[in-house]
Amino acid sequence: MSEKKEITVEADVNAPIAKAWEHWTKPEHIVHWNNASDEWHTPKAENDFRPGGRFVCRMEAKDGSMGFDFGGTNNIIDEHKYIEYTLDDDRKVKISFSESGEGTHISETFEAEDDNPLEMQQSGWQAILYNFKKYSEAQTQEG
């Protein structure tokens, strides 16, 4: 059995850690940022945000040509600091939140899958994180 390759993506978000945490974890926010490109969207998100709770995001191409459920189980939650979950395909994801000046630094490490090149996976997850940054900063500015 080979060891899974881990990939890390990071971003500094100009939002207080409590706001960034809320935007990351609440389904009413997730549907606005959880996509890697403008051609995709997340029309539905659910998150039973507790250890052992399940989450699922329905990710679809806006033209209706394809879609899939991205889901798993929350394992560890340390409010405003850390989330760890296991995807339905048994890959682990670890997300750290830390204060960075007046904003929040987010570091997300995930186990790569075997179907797509590592660079493609990294760029896709980084694009989603940048969409989160853009959304969270806009929400924070609105109040």
Side-chain angles (χ1 to χ4, degrees):
M1 184 170 155
S2 63
E3 190 167 318
K4 293 184 180 175
K5 171 79 174 143
E6 289 188 336
I7 299 172
T8 299
V9 296
E10 298 180 289
D12 288 311
V13 180
N14 189 16
I17 203 162
K19 282 288 187 193
W21 184 266
E22 177 183 335
H23 297 153
W24 190 274
T25 60
K26 295 195 179 228
E28 63 265 27
H29 294 291
I30 295 168
V31 295
H32 293 287
W33 60 262
N34 190 38
N35 57 288
S37 74
D38 290 340
E39 292 80 32
W40 283 77
H41 67 146
T42 299
K44 181 179 178 187
E46 299 173 6
N47 191 8
D48 182 5
F49 195 56
R50 61 180 176 82
R54 294 236 346 117
F55 67 89
V56 65
C57 297
R58 179 67 188 169
M59 301 175 86
E60 295 180 353
K62 287 182 180 176
D63 67 5
S65 63
M66 63 175 54
F68 61 93
D69 288 338
F70 182 85
T73 303
N74 295 303
N75 299 326
I76 301 170
I77 298 169
D78 186 357
E79 190 172 12
H80 298 165
K81 294 179 183 166
Y82 184 76
I83 301 167
E84 186 175 309
Y85 60 82
T86 304
L87 293 169
D88 288 338
D89 64 5
D90 286 329
R91 293 184 297 135
K92 303 274 191 247
V93 180
K94 302 170 188 170
I95 308 149
S96 298
F97 294 73
S98 58
E99 290 187 30
S100 175
E102 294 181 23
T104 304
H105 180 77
I106 298 174
S107 177
E108 185 174 20
T109 300
F110 64 96
E111 292 176 342
E113 39 94 349
D114 296 326
D115 295 335
N116 294 293
L118 296 177
E119 298 79 23
M120 177 188 271
Q121 293 178 63
Q122 181 168 12
S123 66
W125 284 61
Q126 187 71 59
I128 293 170
L129 185 54
Y130 283 150
N131 277 341
F132 171 80
K133 170 184 169 64
K134 189 167 107 179
Y135 174 80
S136 189
E137 289 176 351
Q139 291 297 303
T140 300
Q141 295 229 333
E142 289 178 12

